[in-house]
Amino acid sequence: MSTLVPDRHTPSTPSAAIEVAALGKTYGEVPAVREISFDVRPGEVFGFLGPNGAGKSTTINMLCTLVTPTAGSARVDGFDVVRERDAVRRRIGLVFQDPTLDGYLTAEQNLRLHAELYGVPRELVEPRIGQVLDMVDLADRRTGKVMTFSGGMRRRLEIARGLLHSPRVLFLDEPTIGLDPQTRASIWRYIRALQQNEGTTIFMTTHYMDEAEFCDRIAIIDRGEIVVLDTPEALKAAIGADRVTLDTPDPDAAITALRERLGIDAELADGAVAFHIESGGSFVPRLFAELDVPITSIAVSRPSLDDVFLRHTGATMRDAETGGRAGEMRAMMRAMAGGRR
Ligand code: ADP
């Protein structure tokens, strides 16, 4: 019987867990992904961020062999996603947003089903089920029906299932979306333990800033192109300046006044006026003195990943998450202004 479980002794010892070379996908006339290139290192937690419609799903689907590229190539654990599709499929685990657990089955039955689907050798099924359930703290719920599980428990079980066949690369699409902060934190502990204990490479999308912060490196994709790729620290350091956010009853007037009186380019972010400036704290008095617009509050903060995201995509991570009105407005304005910024 051919087994779908990766042989850990295969001669392939790729220097990169994922290698993407000029990879592109065009749907008719629409370039969803424009010839992107990047590497993900073995054992890395790699975050893939971008506003709605940026090309995240298309990229992840090409890497998982679910969508065929129209340009370039990609290798996962050393195997080509087009020419060696089956080998890639054996080496990856998927935890996507749409829940696919069977609520009428127990946790264990769901895992067994998956083990069968992936041809996990019979003698390995039992120990491996125990191991992955332990990993996500669900050992005591092994015989519980999934329909009785909370959202966080289901998510953990999905992660356990994605790990069952010992994938070399785990793809997580918004792994903790909609979960409460405690559950999110515990899922993050599992993911980190997984990376440390099993050396699994993790490729994930997220709209949560704290989750992005947790990644070893982050790539931001916008309109089909990778606009920046680095560690969270380096990305924040590159922004440099402090972020000043001010609340005012008339944001448009404030933005105009900032530009005309102080030569500052500000934007509207989550209903507040935001801009970056060196030594933000000592700049605040000047704002009050020179801006003839009522200000209800001012906050000065060091750059965050949200600032990085805003700088590179023109949207806040929250806009991107909710596809909020602000994001839509910007997209519409960009479209009206004729394509690229
Ligand atoms: P994201 O996951 O970042 O929201 P997607 O990869 O889903 O972005 O989409 C990128 C672009 O490709 C969008 O403009 C989207 O409308 C387009 N697109 C995605 N899938 C298809 C498809 N099957 N057919 C046509 N256009 C598509």
Side-chain angles (χ1 to χ4, degrees):
M1 186 187 98
S2 78
T3 164
L4 282 167
V5 171
D7 173 2
R8 284 176 180 271
H9 305 293
T10 37
S12 66
T13 43
S15 54
I18 303 176
E19 293 170 75
V20 177
L23 186 71
K25 177 73 183 179
T26 302
Y27 289 107
E29 296 287 289
V30 183
V33 174
R34 302 163 191 255
E35 313 211 352
I36 55 173
S37 300
F38 62 92
D39 282 356
V40 178
R41 298 168 192 148
E44 187 168 41
V45 177
F46 190 87
F48 200 58
L49 277 54
N52 280 325
K56 298 181 295 295
S57 309
T58 306
T59 304
I60 221 172
N61 284 336
M62 287 192 282
L63 297 179
C64 296
T65 79
L66 301 172
V67 160
T68 311
T70 49
S73 64
R75 303 181 84 79
V76 174
D77 201 32
F79 294 89
D80 188 279
V81 296
V82 176
R83 285 182 287 107
E84 298 164 299
R85 205 171 77 163
D86 291 344
V88 171
R89 288 187 175 184
R90 286 194 289 272
R91 283 165 174 79
I92 61 175
L94 308 178
V95 182
F96 280 8
Q97 276 183 50
D98 298 329
T100 53
L101 293 165
D102 189 329
Y104 289 98
L105 298 182
T106 65
E108 180 180 346
Q109 285 167 333
N110 269 286
L111 295 180
R112 249 177 229 293
L113 206 64
H114 182 86
E116 227 163 89
L117 214 61
Y118 273 79
V120 176
R122 191 157 300 206
E123 70 279 10
L124 294 184
V125 173
E126 203 47 46
R128 190 64 187 159
I129 286 181
Q131 216 175 357
V132 293
L133 284 175
D134 272 343
M135 221 182 272
V136 298
D137 260 352
L138 283 176
D140 57 337
R141 299 301 299 260
R142 185 178 175 124
T143 55
K145 283 217 168 99
V146 169
M147 63 167 79
T148 66
F149 287 14
S150 68
M153 287 162 67
R154 285 177 202 214
R155 203 73 189 140
R156 270 146 56 196
L157 185 58
E158 299 225 13
I159 293 174
R161 188 182 54 177
L163 295 172
L164 194 66
H165 57 290
S166 306
R168 301 304 301 141
V169 181
L170 182 65
F171 289 92
L172 298 167
D173 188 17
E174 300 278 351
T176 65
I177 197 151
L179 299 178
D180 62 85
Q182 272 117 323
T183 312
R184 286 174 49 208
S186 76
I187 286 184
W188 279 103
R189 277 197 300 277
Y190 302 130
I191 290 176
R192 190 52 88 183
L194 172 75
Q195 181 221 20
Q196 279 161 4
N197 302 338
E198 308 226 332
T200 316
T201 304
I202 291 157
F203 185 97
M204 52 160 272
T205 66
T206 184
H207 281 117
Y208 290 119
M209 207 160 68
D210 52 346
E211 229 163 60
E213 195 75 60
F214 177 93
C215 296
D216 296 316
R217 287 191 308 155
I218 291 168
I220 296 178
I221 184 169
D222 191 24
R223 274 160 284 163
E225 287 177 291
I226 305 277
V227 288
V228 75
L229 191 164
D230 215 325
T231 61
E233 293 67 36
L235 291 173
K236 285 183 285 183
I239 297 282
D242 291 339
R243 173 181 167 89
V244 179
T245 321
L246 57 91
D247 284 314
T248 162
D250 193 348
D252 290 336
I255 290 172
T256 307
L258 279 163
R259 188 172 52 242
E260 289 176 356
R261 288 168 182 258
L262 299 164
I264 291 170
D265 232 0
E267 25 191 327
L268 199 57
D270 291 335
V273 175
F275 58 91
H276 289 97
I277 194 151
E278 297 292 340
S279 313
S282 52
F283 182 75
V284 167
R286 254 190 92 191
L287 272 180
F288 280 103
E290 297 189 30
L291 221 57
D292 56 356
V293 174
I295 297 172
T296 43
S297 75
I298 293 192
V300 181
S301 56
R302 296 298 303 151
S304 68
L305 278 182
D306 213 358
D307 299 319
V308 172
F309 197 84
L310 185 66
R311 169 75 60 89
H312 293 288
T313 70
T316 66
M317 288 178 74
R318 231 180 59 198
D319 283 347
E321 173 200 1
T322 56
R325 265 169 30 88
E328 271 169 36
M329 282 297 289
R330 270 188 215 102
M332 207 164 83
M333 280 155 69
R334 279 206 298 251
M336 291 191 315
R340 297 197 58 77
R341 259 174 308 160

